Amino acid sequence: MGSRTAYIRSVGRFLPEKRLTNEDLEKMVDTTSEWILTRTGIRERRILEPGLGNSYMAVRAARECLERAQVSPEEIEVIIVGTITPDMPFPATACLVQKELGASRAWGFDLSAGCSGFIFALSTAAQMIESGGQEKILVIGSDVMSRIMDYQDRNTCILFGDGAGAVLLEPCPDKDHGILDYIHHTDGSGGDLLCLKAGGSLRPPTLESVRNREHYVRQQGSQVFKYAVKEMAQVSGAILERNGLTGEDLALFLPHQANLRIIDACAQRMGIDRDRVIINVDRYANTTAGTIPLCLYDALVEQNRVKKGDYLVMSAFGAGFTWGSVLLRWW
Ligand code: COA
């Protein structure tokens, strides 16, 4: 890392009001509330109301984040939105957020890395700050997964929800604190196991693609599950080891919220007991790029559990495949 580090100064979130419970899903597909709860740990998820897009959530999460820090939108230099469900293919959601926030000096872009979108965006932004090039960056993870769910497919529609989180990154006053390290990976050979086949340049929308329901997420759940457990645990262990730490040293583990069984397996392999793991998959399900900032919000704001000097690890695994970990020492 360079002569300075970046730290997370503030956090904000947006969760739609509407709840879709397991009992609601029982009426939509051939499933039971009990099956969903025991196989995934999910009880309910939030659904954004029709007519609103990703930027609606992203802007609200960003506004709360800036208000908490008492920073005005004009002070923001860069906006990065981790997402796979932008309002539209282009302009980027970051541009819509820039306009709506009134962040008149900011440039920005979207970053597409599935469920790793937020941590990839966070480490990208941290590098910009470490290099001395930027002073204030908004990093947002936001996804409206309900818009790409097939509510006739019980394999996928039970797993995902909508939500957004935002953080403000600034240079850390002490370079032994802040974002200390990251390890990220991509393995494109897993692409077909979790994807959205149509709607891009290879298979533009046609009547046939719509009829075949190709604009929805398709997933080979059990194969993704095995890969996710193995790689998330490995990368989380590797970042600790590289920094001379063990699971014992961690104050909190903030894992991607895909499935409670994946979270438990990772924590167990890292030697971290459940009370040091942030879990909200029961309430929000998998919000893709939203999960990790939503976990951070729970830890910081809802539970007031983070203090200066604490070591935190964030880990994610997602479509691509993409996965990685970020190590922070809280300032
Ligand atoms: N209700 C009832 N039964 C269901 C169901 C549902 N909602 N979804 C799938 N099933 C059935 C399957 O059809 C299968 O039936 P079969 O044996 O007759 O074919 C059976 O349950 C077992 O399926 P399997 O896929 O082996 O179950 P699983 O233990 O792997 O759990 C997931 C399924 C999807 C919950 C799990 O694989 C998972 O969470 N995978 C990771 C998904 C993920 O998080 N992806 C996002 C990126 S990280």
Side-chain angles (χ1 to χ4, degrees):
M1 296 286 164
S3 62
R4 64 179 193 176
T5 56
Y7 85 113
I8 294 178
R9 180 170 158 198
S10 178
V11 63
R13 76 171 178 195
F14 179 82
L15 289 159
E17 288 289 314
K18 188 185 168 197
R19 291 173 159 84
L20 180 68
T21 64
N22 291 354
E23 289 71 26
D24 296 330
L25 284 164
E26 282 180 350
K27 298 178 198 128
M28 298 161 71
V29 287
D30 181 15
T31 191
T32 64
S33 177
E34 180 62 18
W35 192 96
I36 300 172
L37 187 62
T38 53
R39 304 308 285 170
T40 70
I42 300 166
R43 291 176 190 276
E44 60 179 33
R45 59 292 289 136
R46 301 297 181 94
I47 304 293
L48 185 64
E49 68 181 82
L52 301 176
N54 188 323
S55 62
Y56 180 88
M57 301 200 307
V59 164
R60 277 148 188 81
R63 273 198 197 126
E64 184 190 348
C65 176
L66 294 181
E67 277 162 17
R68 285 183 175 282
Q70 297 194 307
V71 165
S72 75
E74 298 82 39
E75 294 175 65
I76 299 302
E77 296 169 348
V78 186
I79 299 169
I80 309 179
V81 181
T83 188
I84 55 165
T85 52
D87 283 34
M88 58 204 75
F90 71 89
T93 303
C95 303
L96 308 175
V97 172
Q98 182 270 342
K99 170 180 166 280
E100 201 58 36
L101 276 183
S104 51
R105 291 201 307 134
W107 59 284
F109 56 92
D110 291 0
L111 189 153
S112 170
C115 299
S116 309
F118 178 79
I119 59 166
F120 281 21
L122 186 69
S123 45
T124 302
Q127 299 292 300
M128 292 176 174
I129 286 178
E130 279 169 30
S131 71
Q134 310 290 341
E135 304 293 314
K136 279 187 171 54
I137 305 184
L138 259 180
V139 179
I140 303 169
S142 180
D143 270 304
V144 197
M145 295 305 289
S146 62
R147 301 291 155 77
I148 53 170
M149 277 305 116
D150 183 351
Y151 286 101
Q152 295 179 12
D153 176 14
R154 68 177 185 175
N155 291 297
T156 52
C157 73
I158 60 152
L159 297 169
F160 294 92
D162 304 338
V167 300
L168 173 64
L169 278 197
E170 287 186 12
C172 188
D174 171 8
K175 78 178 191 63
D176 294 330
H177 289 73
I179 296 172
L180 299 183
D181 199 6
Y182 69 92
I183 302 177
H184 294 334
H185 296 281
T186 291
D187 178 1
S189 68
D192 287 345
L193 298 175
L194 174 53
C195 61
L196 198 156
K197 287 197 186 317
S201 58
L202 181 64
R203 288 181 61 74
T206 59
L207 281 175
E208 192 199 2
S209 70
V210 172
R211 239 180 250 124
N212 293 340
R213 309 181 78 75
E214 289 175 43
H215 298 275
Y216 296 122
V217 173
R218 296 289 172 229
Q219 172 173 238
Q220 304 292 326
S222 57
Q223 291 186 64
V224 176
F225 185 95
K226 282 181 213 144
Y227 214 109
V229 170
K230 178 170 160 276
E231 299 299 354
M232 242 172 79
Q234 199 279 333
V235 77
S236 309
I239 203 160
L240 290 176
E241 199 181 323
R242 185 156 100 175
N243 289 276
L245 302 169
T246 68
E248 288 286 298
D249 300 308
L250 275 195
L252 286 175
F253 179 46
L254 288 76
H256 174 51
Q257 307 283 308
N259 184 318
L260 186 57
R261 292 186 293 141
I262 299 179
I263 296 170
D264 279 342
C266 284
Q268 200 184 8
R269 287 186 197 186
M270 292 167 72
I272 303 169
D273 40 87
R274 256 245 193 131
D275 58 354
R276 285 184 291 141
V277 182
I278 299 294
I279 296 169
N280 56 30
V281 68
D282 53 322
R283 285 165 285 149
Y284 312 137
N286 184 348
T287 55
T288 301
T291 61
I292 297 205
L294 288 174
C295 280
L296 185 64
Y297 191 98
D298 275 6
L300 265 176
V301 181
E302 299 269 304
Q303 301 171 18
N304 193 18
R305 284 178 69 184
V306 192
K307 57 183 191 312
K308 195 172 164 184
D310 279 354
Y311 283 107
L312 270 58
V313 164
M314 300 171 167
S315 297
F317 181 91
F321 293 135
T322 57
W323 69 100
S325 279
V326 177
L327 173 70
L328 304 92
R329 190 166 183 215
W330 200 257
W331 177 263

